[in-house]
Amino acid sequence: MHIDTQFKAQAKLDLSGSVSPVCLPVPDMPASIWNHPDSLRSQFHSKARSFFECEAVLAVTGIESGISALARLFQTWYGSMRVVLAEPGFDQWDTRFRRASHIVLDWPVELILEGEIPECDVVVLGRPVNPTGQMIEIAQVRKLASRLREQGGWLILDEAYLDWTGEESYTSFIEASPAIVLRSMAPFSGLPGANLAFVCAPKSVCTALLNEVGTQAVSAAQWWLALHYFDAELWRESQIALLARGSSRLAALWQDCLGTGTRCYQGGYFISFEHDQASLIAEQLEAIGILVRVYEAETNLVRCGLPRDESQWDRLDKAIRSLKLGGA
């Protein structure tokens, strides 16, 4: 049997993800790290409070672990809750809150920001919104957080993609206007294998979440990596500039093919754009070994990640120019 792969000897180029193609430079980890987890944990909590500018920070093994722990905690505290998820957004919020027997409703982010919110106990909002990159102003967030707390509910902010923007995090406002904020190390650091995220919240929430995830969920190596990440201030500045240039270049590449009227949203680690033939674009690219992501529910949105090097840029350029689209 002959199977035509259509992309011959070339390996797949996966641009469907949302992690920086440029990695945080990490030195060799000393072997002694494994012998001092308590010291590293103590250093982490001290530096994390300074880095995030809030009283309580809990490290978890990835953003999905943090979402699951919150869903279980809310079930323990309140029973089944009514949860409004701002759309578009990360699909694991829906999956994991439903798994914990909460009632979940998807709701347009524009309506939430206008104050038109169904009766609920929790609102989950991306900042910036994934995959459009829309940034929600701090003043809007504070107003929403205060409204929900006055009603006995919670605002949860998914700031997993915030770092590339250089914008201020809501974490420094948690004490004044309580909310729960999730941050992730992987997208900005370019190190998905780090599997490390952070929950910033009122101390009572972080303490209860620690009982959910356990005291040994995070390894000594992850504590060490987090400390290195917190200290990389100069690298962080250069990474922001690099990602801004990369996403502008990627947007220009797609607009050159699809037309300058195509509106591209820059997400730092990716760009996204609306197109009525989004699925066809993804199918044609996949046929030649390039993977992008399509959000059909969000007005046929295509998300394309940044190539890692010039050979990948060249390959994507040629692939885009080979697309055969009706009316293009």
Side-chain angles (χ1 to χ4, degrees):
M1 180 185 294
H2 173 70
I3 299 176
D4 184 2
T5 62
Q6 300 185 57
F7 51 94
K8 305 299 189 251
Q10 282 190 306
K12 284 187 178 181
L13 174 55
D14 189 351
L15 300 177
S16 64
S18 53
V19 173
S20 169
V22 180
C23 301
L24 169 71
V26 179
D28 292 338
M29 187 183 72
S32 60
I33 289 299
W34 298 106
N35 299 323
H36 305 288
D38 292 339
S39 174
L40 288 166
R41 185 185 295 109
S42 178
Q43 291 178 60
F44 166 82
H45 286 298
S46 176
K47 287 198 172 183
R49 284 192 291 268
S50 175
F51 183 83
F52 293 113
E53 299 182 349
C54 62
E55 180 185 8
V57 182
L58 178 69
V60 293
T61 54
I63 195 82
E64 293 179 14
S65 175
I67 295 171
S68 292
L70 278 169
R72 295 194 305 269
L73 176 63
F74 282 176
Q75 182 60 240
T76 300
W77 275 4
Y78 305 108
S80 181
M81 303 183 79
R82 293 159 297 185
V83 180
V84 166
L85 303 182
E87 284 292 316
F90 184 36
D91 57 9
Q92 288 301 309
W93 286 103
D94 185 291
T95 300
R96 293 170 187 268
F97 267 80
R98 288 184 190 276
R99 187 176 297 167
S101 299
H102 296 290
I103 301 167
V104 179
L105 175 65
D106 297 331
W107 201 251
V109 63
E110 293 82 6
L111 293 182
I112 291 175
L113 296 178
E114 291 170 3
E116 297 182 29
I117 307 171
E119 184 178 354
C120 65
D121 306 297
V122 177
V123 171
V124 179
L125 182 66
R127 184 176 181 270
V129 177
N130 174 30
T132 65
Q134 178 185 356
M135 178 53 65
I136 313 300
E137 297 297 326
I138 289 289
Q140 293 175 290
V141 177
R142 291 192 70 174
K143 182 178 179 180
L144 181 56
S146 297
R147 171 182 166 181
L148 287 164
R149 287 309 296 141
E150 288 171 1
Q151 297 170 354
W154 287 98
L155 173 64
I156 303 177
L157 287 175
D158 184 343
E159 289 190 345
Y161 296 135
L162 181 76
D163 297 76
W164 81 271
T165 68
E167 294 280 347
E168 185 176 18
S169 171
Y170 190 79
T171 54
S172 60
F173 296 92
I174 288 174
E175 185 174 353
S177 303
I180 300 168
V181 181
L182 272 72
R183 298 282 295 272
S184 179
M185 196 177 116
F188 189 68
S189 71
L191 300 171
N195 204 29
L196 192 61
F198 312 99
V199 181
C200 303
K203 192 171 183 178
S204 60
V205 174
C206 284
T207 299
L209 280 175
L210 181 60
N211 293 328
E212 285 288 340
V213 301
T215 59
Q216 297 181 355
V218 176
S219 71
Q222 289 172 306
W223 296 123
W224 175 83
L225 186 59
L227 292 171
H228 186 73
Y229 179 69
F230 293 158
D231 287 338
E233 184 173 348
L234 292 177
W235 172 85
R236 190 171 292 106
E237 293 175 3
S238 66
Q239 181 79 328
I240 290 172
L242 185 149
L243 291 171
R245 291 194 300 270
S247 56
S248 294
R249 178 182 177 182
L250 186 57
L253 191 158
W254 277 102
Q255 287 173 328
D256 189 43
C257 173
L258 301 178
T260 55
T262 301
R263 182 181 180 184
C264 289
Y265 308 99
Q266 296 188 24
Y269 325 107
F270 55 83
I271 64 102
S272 60
F273 58 88
E274 296 175 14
H275 199 281
D276 58 4
Q277 298 182 75
S279 294
L280 181 59
I281 289 173
E283 289 169 7
Q284 290 188 18
L285 289 177
E286 185 175 7
I288 52 176
I290 297 178
L291 306 179
V292 295
R293 182 166 181 180
V294 175
Y295 294 79
E296 293 183 340
E298 284 83 40
T299 60
N300 292 317
L301 208 69
V302 176
R303 190 181 76 183
C304 178
L306 268 62
R308 187 172 295 277
D309 53 40
E310 286 304 317
S311 66
Q312 291 188 0
W313 277 101
D314 183 60
R315 183 176 171 187
L316 179 62
D317 189 343
K318 292 176 180 176
I320 292 175
R321 296 183 192 284
S322 73
L323 293 173
K324 295 178 174 59
L325 305 173

Short mmCIF file of all heavy atoms in Angstrom, two decimals, residues 264-292:
data_model
loop_
_atom_site.label_atom_id
_atom_site.label_comp_id
_atom_site.label_asym_id
_atom_site.label_seq_id
_atom_site.Cartn_x
_atom_site.Cartn_y
_atom_site.Cartn_z
N CYS A 264 -5.34 41.58 10.98
CA CYS A 264 -4.59 40.60 11.77
C CYS A 264 -4.49 41.06 13.22
O CYS A 264 -4.21 42.23 13.50
CB CYS A 264 -3.18 40.42 11.20
SG CYS A 264 -3.13 39.57 9.61
N TYR A 265 -4.72 40.13 14.13
CA TYR A 265 -4.58 40.40 15.56
C TYR A 265 -3.24 39.83 16.02
O TYR A 265 -2.94 38.67 15.77
CB TYR A 265 -5.71 39.73 16.35
CG TYR A 265 -7.10 40.04 15.84
CD1 TYR A 265 -7.77 39.15 15.01
CD2 TYR A 265 -7.73 41.22 16.20
CE1 TYR A 265 -9.05 39.43 14.55
CE2 TYR A 265 -9.01 41.51 15.75
CZ TYR A 265 -9.67 40.61 14.92
OH TYR A 265 -10.94 40.90 14.47
N GLN A 266 -2.45 40.66 16.68
CA GLN A 266 -1.14 40.21 17.12
C GLN A 266 -1.20 39.69 18.55
O GLN A 266 -1.66 40.39 19.46
CB GLN A 266 -0.12 41.34 17.00
CG GLN A 266 0.10 41.77 15.55
CD GLN A 266 1.24 42.76 15.39
OE1 GLN A 266 2.14 42.82 16.21
NE2 GLN A 266 1.21 43.53 14.31
N GLY A 267 -0.74 38.46 18.72
CA GLY A 267 -0.77 37.83 20.03
C GLY A 267 0.61 37.55 20.60
O GLY A 267 0.76 36.75 21.50
N GLY A 268 1.63 38.18 20.03
CA GLY A 268 2.98 37.99 20.55
C GLY A 268 3.62 36.72 20.05
O GLY A 268 4.61 36.74 19.32
N TYR A 269 3.05 35.60 20.42
CA TYR A 269 3.57 34.29 20.04
C TYR A 269 2.90 33.79 18.76
O TYR A 269 3.26 32.75 18.22
CB TYR A 269 3.33 33.27 21.16
CG TYR A 269 3.47 33.88 22.53
CD1 TYR A 269 2.35 34.12 23.34
CD2 TYR A 269 4.72 34.27 23.01
CE1 TYR A 269 2.47 34.72 24.58
CE2 TYR A 269 4.84 34.87 24.25
CZ TYR A 269 3.72 35.09 25.03
OH TYR A 269 3.85 35.69 26.25
N PHE A 270 1.90 34.54 18.29
CA PHE A 270 1.13 34.15 17.12
C PHE A 270 0.40 35.37 16.57
O PHE A 270 0.37 36.43 17.22
CB PHE A 270 0.09 33.07 17.48
CG PHE A 270 -0.82 33.47 18.61
CD1 PHE A 270 -1.95 34.26 18.37
CD2 PHE A 270 -0.56 33.08 19.92
CE1 PHE A 270 -2.78 34.65 19.42
CE2 PHE A 270 -1.39 33.46 20.97
CZ PHE A 270 -2.50 34.24 20.71
N ILE A 271 -0.17 35.23 15.38
CA ILE A 271 -1.13 36.20 14.89
C ILE A 271 -2.41 35.44 14.55
O ILE A 271 -2.38 34.22 14.34
CB ILE A 271 -0.61 37.00 13.67
CG1 ILE A 271 -0.38 36.09 12.47
CG2 ILE A 271 0.65 37.78 14.03
CD1 ILE A 271 -1.47 36.16 11.43
N SER A 272 -3.52 36.12 14.51
CA SER A 272 -4.77 35.50 14.10
C SER A 272 -5.50 36.46 13.17
O SER A 272 -5.28 37.68 13.21
CB SER A 272 -5.63 35.14 15.31
OG SER A 272 -5.96 36.31 16.06
N PHE A 273 -6.34 35.91 12.32
CA PHE A 273 -7.11 36.73 11.40
C PHE A 273 -8.39 36.01 11.02
O PHE A 273 -8.48 34.79 11.07
CB PHE A 273 -6.29 37.05 10.13
CG PHE A 273 -5.83 35.83 9.38
CD1 PHE A 273 -6.62 35.24 8.41
CD2 PHE A 273 -4.59 35.27 9.66
CE1 PHE A 273 -6.18 34.11 7.71
CE2 PHE A 273 -4.15 34.15 8.99
CZ PHE A 273 -4.95 33.56 8.01
N GLU A 274 -9.39 36.80 10.66
CA GLU A 274 -10.67 36.25 10.23
C GLU A 274 -10.66 36.02 8.72
O GLU A 274 -10.13 36.85 7.96
CB GLU A 274 -11.81 37.21 10.59
CG GLU A 274 -12.00 37.40 12.09
CD GLU A 274 -13.04 38.43 12.41
OE1 GLU A 274 -13.80 38.81 11.49
OE2 GLU A 274 -13.11 38.89 13.57
N HIS A 275 -11.20 34.89 8.30
CA HIS A 275 -11.29 34.61 6.86
C HIS A 275 -12.42 33.63 6.63
O HIS A 275 -12.57 32.64 7.37
CB HIS A 275 -9.97 34.03 6.34
CG HIS A 275 -9.83 34.13 4.86
ND1 HIS A 275 -10.45 33.26 3.99
CD2 HIS A 275 -9.14 35.01 4.08
CE1 HIS A 275 -10.14 33.60 2.74
NE2 HIS A 275 -9.35 34.65 2.76
N ASP A 276 -13.24 33.89 5.61
CA ASP A 276 -14.39 33.02 5.37
C ASP A 276 -13.99 31.65 4.84
O ASP A 276 -14.83 30.74 4.75
CB ASP A 276 -15.41 33.68 4.45
CG ASP A 276 -14.81 34.08 3.10
OD1 ASP A 276 -13.63 33.77 2.86
OD2 ASP A 276 -15.53 34.70 2.30
N GLN A 277 -12.71 31.48 4.49
CA GLN A 277 -12.22 30.18 4.05
C GLN A 277 -11.14 29.66 5.01
O GLN A 277 -10.17 29.05 4.60
CB GLN A 277 -11.67 30.27 2.63
CG GLN A 277 -12.71 30.67 1.60
CD GLN A 277 -12.17 30.70 0.19
OE1 GLN A 277 -11.95 29.67 -0.42
NE2 GLN A 277 -11.94 31.91 -0.31
N ALA A 278 -11.35 29.92 6.30
CA ALA A 278 -10.37 29.55 7.32
C ALA A 278 -10.04 28.06 7.28
O ALA A 278 -8.88 27.65 7.33
CB ALA A 278 -10.87 29.95 8.70
N SER A 279 -11.08 27.24 7.20
CA SER A 279 -10.86 25.79 7.20
C SER A 279 -10.09 25.34 5.97
O SER A 279 -9.22 24.47 6.04
CB SER A 279 -12.19 25.04 7.27
OG SER A 279 -12.83 25.28 8.51
N LEU A 280 -10.38 25.95 4.80
CA LEU A 280 -9.67 25.60 3.58
C LEU A 280 -8.19 25.98 3.68
O LEU A 280 -7.32 25.24 3.22
CB LEU A 280 -10.32 26.30 2.39
CG LEU A 280 -9.71 26.01 1.01
CD1 LEU A 280 -9.77 24.52 0.70
CD2 LEU A 280 -10.42 26.83 -0.07
N ILE A 281 -7.91 27.14 4.28
CA ILE A 281 -6.52 27.56 4.49
C ILE A 281 -5.78 26.52 5.32
O ILE A 281 -4.68 26.09 4.97
CB ILE A 281 -6.48 28.94 5.18
CG1 ILE A 281 -6.94 30.03 4.21
CG2 ILE A 281 -5.07 29.24 5.69
CD1 ILE A 281 -7.10 31.40 4.84
N ALA A 282 -6.40 26.11 6.43
CA ALA A 282 -5.76 25.13 7.31
C ALA A 282 -5.57 23.79 6.59
O ALA A 282 -4.52 23.15 6.74
CB ALA A 282 -6.60 24.94 8.57
N GLU A 283 -6.56 23.38 5.82
CA GLU A 283 -6.46 22.09 5.11
C GLU A 283 -5.35 22.10 4.07
O GLU A 283 -4.59 21.14 3.94
CB GLU A 283 -7.81 21.78 4.44
CG GLU A 283 -8.91 21.40 5.43
CD GLU A 283 -10.28 21.37 4.77
OE1 GLU A 283 -10.34 21.52 3.52
OE2 GLU A 283 -11.28 21.20 5.50
N GLN A 284 -5.25 23.19 3.31
CA GLN A 284 -4.21 23.26 2.28
C GLN A 284 -2.82 23.32 2.90
O GLN A 284 -1.88 22.70 2.40
CB GLN A 284 -4.45 24.46 1.38
CG GLN A 284 -5.66 24.31 0.49
CD GLN A 284 -5.78 25.42 -0.54
OE1 GLN A 284 -4.82 26.13 -0.84
NE2 GLN A 284 -6.98 25.59 -1.10
N LEU A 285 -2.68 24.03 4.00
CA LEU A 285 -1.38 24.08 4.67
C LEU A 285 -1.02 22.71 5.27
O LEU A 285 0.13 22.26 5.18
CB LEU A 285 -1.39 25.15 5.77
CG LEU A 285 -1.43 26.60 5.30
CD1 LEU A 285 -1.51 27.54 6.50
CD2 LEU A 285 -0.20 26.94 4.46
N GLU A 286 -2.00 22.05 5.86
CA GLU A 286 -1.74 20.74 6.44
C GLU A 286 -1.32 19.73 5.37
O GLU A 286 -0.50 18.85 5.62
CB GLU A 286 -2.97 20.23 7.19
CG GLU A 286 -2.74 18.91 7.92
CD GLU A 286 -3.91 18.46 8.74
OE1 GLU A 286 -4.98 19.10 8.66
OE2 GLU A 286 -3.77 17.46 9.49
N ALA A 287 -1.87 19.86 4.17
CA ALA A 287 -1.53 18.95 3.08
C ALA A 287 -0.05 19.03 2.70
O ALA A 287 0.51 18.07 2.16
CB ALA A 287 -2.39 19.24 1.86
N ILE A 288 0.58 20.18 3.00
CA ILE A 288 2.01 20.31 2.73
C ILE A 288 2.82 20.38 4.03
O ILE A 288 3.95 20.88 4.06
CB ILE A 288 2.30 21.52 1.82
CG1 ILE A 288 1.67 22.81 2.38
CG2 ILE A 288 1.81 21.27 0.41
CD1 ILE A 288 2.01 24.05 1.58
N GLY A 289 2.20 19.89 5.11
CA GLY A 289 2.95 19.67 6.34
C GLY A 289 3.04 20.83 7.30
O GLY A 289 3.89 20.83 8.20
N ILE A 290 2.18 21.84 7.16
CA ILE A 290 2.20 22.99 8.06
C ILE A 290 0.88 23.05 8.82
O ILE A 290 -0.20 23.06 8.22
CB ILE A 290 2.43 24.30 7.29
CG1 ILE A 290 3.81 24.26 6.61
CG2 ILE A 290 2.34 25.51 8.23
CD1 ILE A 290 4.11 25.49 5.77
N LEU A 291 0.96 23.11 10.14
CA LEU A 291 -0.24 23.09 10.99
C LEU A 291 -0.52 24.46 11.57
O LEU A 291 0.36 25.08 12.17
CB LEU A 291 -0.07 22.07 12.12
CG LEU A 291 0.29 20.63 11.71
CD1 LEU A 291 0.44 19.77 12.95
CD2 LEU A 291 -0.76 20.06 10.77
N VAL A 292 -1.75 24.94 11.39
CA VAL A 292 -2.23 26.14 12.06
C VAL A 292 -3.52 25.75 12.78
O VAL A 292 -4.01 24.65 12.63
CB VAL A 292 -2.48 27.30 11.06
CG1 VAL A 292 -1.18 27.74 10.43
CG2 VAL A 292 -3.51 26.89 10.01
#
